[in-house]
Amino acid sequence: MKALIETIVTPLIDYPADLHVEVEETDAKIRYHITVNENDVGKVIGKNGRIAKAVRTVVHAAHSNTDKKVYVDIM
Amino acid sequence: MREITASGQTVEEAKENALKQLNLNEEQVIVDVIDEGKRGILGMFGSKRAYVKVTEKEDALQTGKTYLLDVAHEMGIENIDIEVSQQEQEMKFDFVGDKLGMLIGKRGQTINALQYLTNLVVNKNQETYFTVVVDAENYRQRRQDTLENLANNLAKKATRLNQEVKIEPMPSFERKVIHTALHDHSEVSTYSDGRDPHRRVVIKPNTME
């Protein structure tokens, strides 16, 4: 699922080499932590967090078969 | 994306040379003139060659299709393809396959998110702006029918109660369906209220002040 986030985010940003996704998984939850180049922050968050929300929506849809809570943090 | 610099006696010739090397036609590239060159006297003395930089345009349609397919695969959806069509500035990506429910999501929230992201990706390096529509299993048409029904029912309700009726918040292209459906209605008018993402259509009876 880490690959999913990379697939979604890479084409949106200008410095793909600086994209890092960390995964932290416990019994009850999965937490993804996305970091990007500081010049790309706006491109993954968007006005009023609109892009971040779209990314979360797609990631959540992909996890619909687990019972774990899914979090997507940016920066 | 490929890009080369080419030269020639004139700008026109330099451009042709570049296109030949890239094996592309004029519509597939962006041409920047670096140096217009000079003809010189009798075409011999003091002449300077013309230089142009030619960059291949990204095929936005292909970019969008690849993006959506990659994301769908990573979501774990197999046996899926996309039918692409373009009408002027509107691009349509239609998912074909089975088990597309996961891509649509509750009230289309997943497909709307994918549509928004694809819009960003397609328009990232383009001079012209494209509208992107992502569809699956004829969802957009079904949704339009549902919204038109809803609009008509709530218009009746508004007239009957002689009160404004607020519809739940929805994205702009769905609000437009409601406005359009009730545009010629004789007893009600519509307007939108609030700020995105909570902006919603309000149906107002014409008898109300």
Side-chain angles (χ1 to χ4, degrees), chain B residues 36-47:
Chain B
E36 289 187 2
K38 254 194 257 167
R39 260 200 185 286
I41 304 157
L42 301 169
M44 288 170 83
F45 305 108
S47 69

Side-chain angles (χ1 to χ4, degrees), chain A residues 4-46:
Chain A
L4 172 65
I5 294 179
E6 288 166 351
T7 309
I8 297 173
V9 174
T10 307
L12 300 172
I13 58 179
D14 291 328
Y15 305 93
D18 294 342
L19 169 69
H20 295 288
V21 182
E22 277 166 41
V23 193
E24 197 185 304
E25 187 164 359
T26 64
D27 293 341
K29 59 191 175 192
I30 308 173
R31 186 182 291 272
Y32 296 96
H33 196 87
I34 307 174
T35 40
V36 293
N37 185 292
E38 60 178 295
N39 295 309
D40 277 334
V41 177
K43 295 197 179 69
V44 282
I45 294 179

Side-chain angles (χ1 to χ4, degrees), chain A residues 10-14 40 43, chain B residues 119-126:
Chain A
T10 307
L12 300 172
I13 58 179
D14 291 328
D40 277 334
K43 295 197 179 69
Chain B
N119 194 328
L120 296 172
V121 172
V122 163
N123 287 304
K124 190 162 190 279
N125 297 314
Q126 301 289 329

Side-chain angles (χ1 to χ4, degrees), chain B residues 1-147:
Chain B
M1 196 169 43
R2 294 177 297 164
E3 126 185 348
I4 61 162
T5 309
S7 67
Q9 300 280 330
T10 59
V11 169
E12 201 49 42
E13 198 185 295
K15 199 164 82 184
E16 274 166 31
N17 284 337
L19 291 176
K20 222 180 283 168
Q21 285 183 51
L22 289 170
N23 200 16
L24 295 170
N25 67 41
E26 203 159 330
E27 272 158 29
Q28 296 169 303
V29 296
I30 301 161
V31 178
D32 287 313
V33 177
I34 299 171
D35 196 326
E36 289 187 2
K38 254 194 257 167
R39 260 200 185 286
I41 304 157
L42 301 169
M44 288 170 83
F45 305 108
S47 69
K48 240 168 82 191
R49 289 179 77 77
Y51 286 89
V52 294
K53 190 177 90 183
V54 172
T55 316
E56 185 181 7
K57 270 190 211 165
E58 268 177 82
D59 181 354
L61 222 48
Q62 192 55 48
T63 310
K65 182 179 174 178
T66 312
Y67 181 68
L68 281 168
L69 280 179
D70 287 349
V71 172
H73 284 146
E74 291 299 342
M75 287 174 82
I77 302 169
E78 278 149 37
N79 299 325
I80 196 168
D81 201 5
I82 293 177
E83 280 172 15
V84 189
S85 57
Q86 183 174 5
Q87 237 181 0
E88 290 173 22
Q89 300 307 92
E90 184 181 291
M91 291 181 180
K92 194 170 174 197
F93 301 92
D94 198 355
F95 279 111
V96 241
D98 33 49
K99 287 200 232 152
L100 298 179
M102 181 180 171
L103 279 179
I104 297 174
K106 188 179 147 205
R107 289 204 181 115
Q109 60 179 359
T110 310
I111 206 163
N112 287 346
L114 288 169
Q115 177 170 299
Y116 179 61
L117 292 168
T118 308
N119 194 328
L120 296 172
V121 172
V122 163
N123 287 304
K124 190 162 190 279
N125 297 314
Q126 301 289 329
E127 313 122 86
T128 41
Y129 182 80
F130 292 101
T131 314
V132 171
V133 177
V134 178
D135 200 359
E137 294 175 337
N138 218 11
Y139 173 76
R140 300 284 170 206
Q141 184 59 50
R142 284 188 284 131
R143 181 71 178 153
Q144 181 173 344
D145 295 345
T146 311
L147 290 173

